[in-house]
Amino acid sequence: MKLLVINPNISNDVTSLIESEARRSASPGTELVVRTAGHGVEYIETRFESLIAAGAVAEIIAEYTRDGASVDGVVVAAFGDPGMPALKELADVPVIGITEAALCAAALQGHRFSIIAISDRIRPWYLDCVERFGLAGRLASIRSINESLNGIGSVQQDFKETLLALSRQAVAEDGADVVILAGAPLAGLARELAGQIPVPVVDGISAGIQMAQSVVNLRSGPHRAGAFAPPPVKARKGLSKNLDAALTTAQHATRLPAPSH
């Protein structure tokens, strides 16, 4: 199995964190192709920044699907799932966001969950994501760091004690049965804090890899109709060569074979 793992922001430090946790989480025999967005921002906090990131992620997915799938699945490795669920329309393979994966994992392990985030500004976007997945009624809280970051690649080192305290508060004060450490900059921290938080702790990157492997192994088949079928054929211009070709590939795949006589 080959998974394409995409960092939707432009930080190579974050990509390194993603890759390290992804490789620890992947099953033997799973090959990972890890890529960083070609344009965008250092880290994503707002809906508009997510919009920018979505285009960068689409370009990378298109590169690997333009002539038919050269990967078995895609993991969008930023909490908030930039471009999701629309990106599911582009690829003929499962496209899994780490938010939807983490929420599913949390929902399987407890009734109420809390999200621990890296900034106050990011919270409205995360709340939108939880509501979109229909799990707002199970959200205990979103707690976040309210200090300026020294650097996106050093959040774990700089704020480990703060993140631990926020997680414990979510359990003690908000009634969380599960804690989600949100965002690629926190990749791997759940392993380090194991045993220090009295409820299950979900790592988004680990959840994304594990869920992607599981969905690929289900072999459920591609979308040929319904809400996630490829966009209809129509005039278009100004797209990159890869994106135009990937759309053509996806649209061609939806054509049903002629009935046999």
Side-chain angles (χ1 to χ4, degrees), residues 57-79:
V57 173
E59 291 290 348
I60 296 174
I61 293 176
E63 181 182 344
Y64 285 84
T65 59
R66 54 170 293 177
D67 299 313
S70 62
V71 294
D72 299 298
V74 178
V75 177
V76 180
F79 214 82

Side-chain angles (χ1 to χ4, degrees), residues 132-144:
R132 187 177 74 235
F133 288 117
L135 292 173
R138 297 177 67 174
L139 177 66
S141 61
I142 301 177
R143 288 183 173 260
S144 57

Side-chain angles (χ1 to χ4, degrees), residues 224-240:
R224 291 287 181 262
F228 295 107
V233 176
K234 62 188 69 169
R236 56 184 185 247
K237 68 177 182 178
L239 303 184
S240 69

Side-chain angles (χ1 to χ4, degrees), residues 188-223:
L189 184 60
R191 295 177 187 269
E192 192 170 342
L193 297 183
Q196 300 182 58
I197 300 169
V199 298
V201 182
V202 175
D203 181 294
I205 299 300
S206 180
I209 296 297
Q210 295 284 1
M211 291 290 184
Q213 291 177 142
S214 296
V215 173
V216 170
N217 284 327
L218 284 173
R219 302 184 184 279
S220 304
H223 294 282

